Amino acid sequence: MSKGHDDEPIFIRSNWGTSRYVYNPRNPVGMGLIIGSLLFAAVFLYSLHSRSSWSEGELRDAVHVAVRDLEATPQTLGSWTGSYASMIRDALEKSGKGPSTGILHVEDADDPYDKDADPAVDLFEVTAEDVDATFCLSVSPPRPEPDMTSVEVSLSVTVVEGEC
């Protein structure tokens, strides 16, 4: 009987002091299982990353859907509803575009020291963690001062690609 690679077992006992079995790299099937396991792990990690990060197109679609949703129905504002930024963030998450676990940033872009700024609009910048694109949202009318009553407001939102 010849002593080739085909005579090696697929699994061998570990030499690291444990009694568990590991793939045998001297057997062609064992080597194939090692390579297959590494490829499977790499593909799994790549797909997991791609499902949890935004693309520029997904962010653009989510912003436009959120703007349509905010303009479609009057919004109820009160001291308990939060700011326009939280309304925009909620609309972006409800848009159904992009990953469910991706990180979005909606930041107030109003500059209180800008004398040329339009006082009739509130500015917000929308960005995502993995995308270089930025969208500037101009929301009018400006958010009223919070008080104990609720106010229903029809929003007008314009979108410009780029920083505010």
Side-chain angles (χ1 to χ4, degrees):
M1 200 161 165
S2 69
K3 193 73 170 157
H5 289 296
D6 294 338
D7 294 341
E8 289 280 335
I10 296 173
F11 298 100
I12 58 172
R13 284 195 183 264
S14 173
N15 292 332
W16 289 6
T18 63
S19 61
R20 63 188 178 101
Y21 284 89
V22 295
Y23 297 136
N24 184 1
R26 292 187 199 105
N27 184 302
V29 175
M31 181 59 77
L33 288 171
I34 292 170
I35 292 171
S37 298
L38 291 174
L39 287 175
F40 175 76
V43 168
F44 175 74
L45 290 175
Y46 175 77
S47 67
L48 188 64
H49 173 72
S50 68
R51 283 189 284 142
S52 66
S53 60
W54 286 86
S55 71
E56 190 170 333
E58 289 172 334
L59 182 60
R60 182 181 301 107
D61 292 344
V63 166
H64 288 288
V65 169
V67 166
R68 273 183 292 194
D69 291 346
L70 287 171
E71 289 181 328
T73 59
Q75 304 296 319
T76 303
L77 300 174
S79 59
W80 65 90
T81 59
S83 64
Y84 277 164
S86 64
M87 291 176 109
I88 293 169
R89 187 176 302 107
D90 291 343
L92 286 166
E93 290 173 358
K94 291 178 185 174
S95 70
K97 305 290 182 184
S100 60
T101 57
I103 299 174
L104 283 172
H105 300 284
V106 179
E107 298 172 3
D108 189 0
D110 284 328
D111 184 4
Y113 301 108
D114 186 6
K115 302 291 184 206
D116 298 329
D118 186 3
V121 297
D122 286 340
L123 299 175
F124 298 92
E125 286 186 352
V126 177
T127 58
E129 188 78 15
D130 302 320
V131 179
D132 292 333
T134 303
F135 293 91
C136 179
L137 275 61
S138 302
V139 182
S140 62
R143 180 162 172 77
E145 292 298 320
D147 57 3
M148 295 305 288
T149 62
S150 64
V151 177
E152 199 164 278
V153 179
S154 293
L155 297 178
S156 174
V157 184
T158 58
V159 178
V160 176
E161 192 164 343
E163 295 181 2
C164 295

